[in-house]
Amino acid sequence: MAARRRKSSLWRPFLLLIALFAIYAATMPGVVPTVGPLVAGRETVSATFVRCGSVPNRACVHDGDTFRIDGRKIRLLGIDAPELADPQCAAERQLAERSARRLLVLLNEGPFDMVTDIREDRDQYGRELKRLERDGQWIGDMLIDEGLAQPYLGRKGDWC
C-alpha cells in the first residue's frame, strides 16, 4: 500500500508542471499556435512585394519579420528576426539582409493567409501582429527552420 501511494505522489509534481506550462503557454501567442478558438480573424493576401524604400508599391518588406501592405504595418507573430535598422554587429546586419530577402521570396510565392490571434493583435509600436500561413505551413516557422529568425519569447534575441 505504501509503495502505491509513493508512485502516485511522484506524478503530482509532473502533472502540476504540465498544468503550469499550459497556463503560461496560453498567455504567450508566440508559443502556442493560433488555431481553433484562438483565431480572431483570417484574411487572404495576394500581392507583389518589393523591399520597402526601393520603389513605391502597395506591398513591401521592411525586414525579416515586418512588412507593409495597403498602408498597414504587419509584424509576424511568434518570431524575432535580426534588425536591419540598428544591428548590433556586422553578423546581425548580414543575417538581417538574408532574412528580409527570404521573407520577400516567401511572400511572393503566392497568396497566403494572415491570421489574427485573440490573445494579441498589436505590439507596443502599434503594428498588427499576424501569423502568416500558406498551405497549412506557418511562414514564420519556415524562417526559424532556416536559421533566419528565432521564436519570440518576450524579448529580442542576440544575433552577435
Side-chain angles (χ1 to χ4, degrees), residues 87-94 159-160:
Q88 300 300 307
C89 63
E92 181 175 10
R93 174 76 178 173
Q94 291 170 349
W159 298 98
C160 298

Side-chain angles (χ1 to χ4, degrees), residues 32-114:
V32 176
T34 310
V35 293
L38 299 176
V39 173
R42 176 182 296 268
E43 60 186 291
T44 300
V45 174
S46 183
T48 300
F49 287 82
V50 298
R51 287 291 295 273
C52 292
S54 59
V55 294
N57 196 298
R58 69 176 274 253
C60 67
V61 170
H62 177 70
D63 61 21
D65 58 19
T66 307
F67 65 95
R68 292 180 183 272
I69 185 157
D70 296 329
R72 300 163 61 193
K73 195 166 189 181
I74 311 292
R75 174 135 179 5
L76 275 69
L77 180 63
I79 73 164
D80 176 47
E83 295 299 321
L84 266 175
D86 190 22
Q88 300 300 307
C89 63
E92 181 175 10
R93 174 76 178 173
Q94 291 170 349
L95 191 59
E97 282 291 339
R98 287 180 45 216
S99 181
R101 283 194 306 268
R102 182 64 175 138
L103 180 59
L104 179 66
V105 168
L106 289 168
L107 296 183
N108 281 325
E109 286 181 349
F112 59 89
D113 288 338
M114 290 196 308

Side-chain angles (χ1 to χ4, degrees), residues 82-150:
E83 295 299 321
L84 266 175
D86 190 22
Q88 300 300 307
C89 63
E92 181 175 10
R93 174 76 178 173
Q94 291 170 349
L95 191 59
E97 282 291 339
R98 287 180 45 216
S99 181
R101 283 194 306 268
R102 182 64 175 138
L103 180 59
L104 179 66
V105 168
L106 289 168
L107 296 183
N108 281 325
E109 286 181 349
F112 59 89
D113 288 338
M114 290 196 308
V115 180
T116 304
D117 189 305
I118 63 170
R119 297 167 291 179
E120 190 172 18
D121 65 344
R122 291 197 181 266
D123 68 7
Q124 71 246 26
Y125 305 108
R127 297 176 293 190
E128 295 179 52
L129 296 171
K130 306 286 185 183
R131 283 194 183 270
L132 307 184
E133 180 183 351
R134 178 183 294 118
D135 300 326
Q137 286 192 296
W138 298 106
I139 291 174
D141 287 349
M142 293 177 198
L143 293 166
I144 292 170
D145 292 345
E146 295 173 18
L148 301 172
Q150 57 189 312

